[in-house]
Amino acid sequence: MAASCVSCGCAPSCRLFLGGRVSLARRQVLWKASTTELQTVPGSQILRLRHTTVVTTKKNVAALRRETYTVDFIKKQIEEFNIGKRHLANMMGEDPETLTQADIDDTYGKLLNVEKHKNQLQAKDLFSEKVKTKDLIGSRWLIKEELEEMLVEKLSDQDYAQFIRLLERLLAVQCGAANEEFVQRFRRSVPVQSNKQLIEPVQYDQQGRAFSTSKGKRKSAKAEAVVYEFGSGGIQVNGIDYLLYFPVTQDREQLMFPFHFLDRLGKHNVTCTVSGGGRSAQAGAIRLAMARALCSFVTEEEVEWMRQAGLLTTDPRVRERKKPGQEGARRKFTWKKR
């Protein structure tokens, strides 16, 4: 009886033991199969699978994270929105308090139509970006303080510079009278100083050649120049060619600068007489005389350019005198204790 009980107790245990071995054997077979498959797969694909798994996990974690907006964050966004709305209203010429979303959409639609029309013109080769900039002589841009007073708000230096650049780009584009009137709101007229410049009348010699005469001064040198309307670019100084009279290159450049500035090299003949001073002072005096004589053959706009470049202004600089009790104009005697 006892033996039968023992045999009955051993039977389930044997079944469990055999079942465990069978399951273990199956797992070993599956493991070997999986290892052989992994050995056949390239290492780059394994790394790619592993990388994508990690990235997917990170994306899922970020997606599950819930964003929270604080009261301070919402207030900051509202303030930025109001500031942008006020700037947009100022650019549109509207009241910020009465500006609505419909007005913004209408303006945005007009901009899209302009861009569409521009693209159509470019496709037909009827629109060119290189347009001559309009003449702005006689006026200036508003300075930063004047612009702040006009807009009733503070501007940084970067905002002011960007605003001026945008207005200049607007002038470079072909625009109508309304746009020009808008740009002129940010400019102030200044008196043109070239109107006060005395221009010598054109004279004619016995051969009928037109010429103009003018005088110039620099330090103690005095010069008189006769500029002919047409010529080959020859310059005579006291009956000598200027290349021989002025051996220094800097002095030659002083003489040629007025013609180079007006793009008139080789178009005029010049005869000069000069006296006093050194070679540098004589070159400055001749340059001033030739520039003043050239005003008779150019337009008022070019005369204003010459005035702004300093070609029509006498150089007042002279050598500073020696002071009593000093070694020179600024230099002091060496101090000695005894």
Side-chain angles (χ1 to χ4, degrees):
M1 188 69 179
S4 62
C5 293
V6 171
S7 62
C8 291
C10 291
S13 62
C14 289
R15 292 194 190 97
L16 292 173
F17 178 73
L18 292 174
R21 291 188 63 182
V22 170
S23 61
L24 180 60
R26 289 179 180 175
R27 291 178 182 176
Q28 290 179 354
V29 172
L30 293 173
W31 176 257
K32 289 181 180 180
S34 61
T35 52
T36 54
E37 290 179 359
L38 289 175
Q39 288 176 359
T40 58
V41 178
S44 60
Q45 295 183 5
I46 296 173
L47 292 176
R48 193 181 298 112
L49 290 172
R50 187 180 303 167
H51 177 70
T52 54
T53 304
V54 174
V55 171
T56 304
T57 304
K58 289 184 177 179
K59 284 185 178 179
N60 292 335
V61 171
L64 291 174
R65 187 180 303 164
R66 188 172 183 180
E67 296 184 0
T68 57
Y69 297 102
T70 60
V71 178
D72 296 337
F73 177 79
I74 296 175
K75 288 183 179 179
K76 184 178 179 181
Q77 293 297 320
I78 294 174
E79 291 177 358
E80 292 180 354
F81 174 78
N82 293 331
I83 292 174
K85 181 180 178 181
R86 187 168 66 252
H87 282 293
L88 181 61
N90 289 333
M91 288 187 291
M92 295 171 56
E94 301 289 342
D95 186 7
E97 302 298 333
T98 59
L99 184 66
T100 61
Q101 186 64 35
D103 298 334
I104 299 174
D105 295 340
D106 184 37
T107 305
Y108 185 67
K110 291 180 180 178
L111 291 176
L112 291 179
N113 292 334
V114 171
E115 189 68 22
K116 182 180 178 180
H117 184 61
K118 176 183 174 182
N119 295 334
Q120 292 176 355
L121 293 178
Q122 287 179 347
K124 297 179 182 179
D125 294 334
L126 298 177
F127 183 84
S128 177
E129 293 288 347
K130 296 181 180 180
V131 181
K132 184 179 179 181
T133 305
K134 296 175 178 57
D135 184 18
L136 299 178
I137 293 178
S139 62
R140 61 169 177 83
W141 294 112
L142 293 177
I143 61 177
K144 180 183 174 183
E145 289 74 14
E146 294 174 344
L147 187 60
E148 288 177 347
E149 184 179 356
M150 180 178 179
L151 299 177
V152 197
E153 62 177 270
K154 293 293 183 180
L155 295 175
S156 63
D157 295 337
Q158 293 80 6
D159 293 340
Y160 173 75
Q162 180 67 14
F163 182 74
I164 298 300
R165 282 195 296 267
L166 291 175
L167 289 177
E168 291 175 349
R169 287 181 57 186
L170 183 61
L171 282 176
V173 180
Q174 291 182 351
C175 55
N179 293 338
E180 292 184 5
E181 182 180 358
F182 172 77
V183 173
Q184 291 298 329
R185 289 170 51 191
F186 304 98
R187 296 189 65 85
R188 291 291 180 270
S189 60
V190 293
V192 180
Q193 298 293 331
S194 60
N195 296 333
K196 303 177 183 179
Q197 179 67 33
L198 179 61
I199 299 178
E200 298 292 338
V202 179
Q203 305 177 23
Y204 297 91
D205 59 3
Q206 297 178 355
Q207 300 177 359
R209 296 182 302 175
F211 68 92
S212 178
T213 306
S214 186
K215 297 181 180 180
K217 183 179 179 182
R218 171 78 171 94
K219 291 185 178 179
S220 59
K222 297 180 180 180
E224 183 176 357
V226 179
V227 179
Y228 291 90
E229 185 176 6
F230 301 103
S232 58
I235 300 178
Q236 297 289 326
V237 181
N238 292 340
I240 305 173
D241 188 72
Y242 80 101
L243 296 176
L244 301 177
Y245 193 86
F246 294 103
V248 182
T249 307
Q250 183 178 359
D251 298 336
R252 300 176 183 175
E253 292 177 350
Q254 287 284 321
L255 266 65
M256 303 305 297
F257 182 68
F259 301 101
H260 179 70
F261 182 79
L262 296 174
D263 195 15
R264 289 175 173 266
L265 289 173
K267 297 182 179 180
H268 300 275
N269 284 339
V270 183
T271 303
C272 305
T273 56
V274 63
S275 61
R279 285 290 185 264
S280 178
Q282 289 181 354
I286 294 174
R287 189 190 84 163
L288 178 62
M290 290 192 304
R292 288 177 174 176
L294 274 174
C295 293
S296 303
F297 306 111
V298 297
T299 62
E300 295 182 0
E301 183 179 0
E302 290 176 326
V303 172
E304 178 63 17
W305 291 348
M306 295 173 66
R307 185 197 66 80
Q308 293 180 0
L311 291 173
L312 305 179
T313 306
T314 306
D315 192 351
R317 297 176 300 172
V318 295
R319 181 178 178 179
E320 191 174 348
R321 56 156 294 197
K322 179 186 176 300
K323 310 299 188 303
Q326 298 180 186
E327 189 174 351
R330 301 292 179 89
R331 184 179 177 85
K332 309 296 189 298
F333 290 112
T334 303
W335 182 80
K336 294 181 181 179
K337 186 175 181 180
R338 294 181 180 84

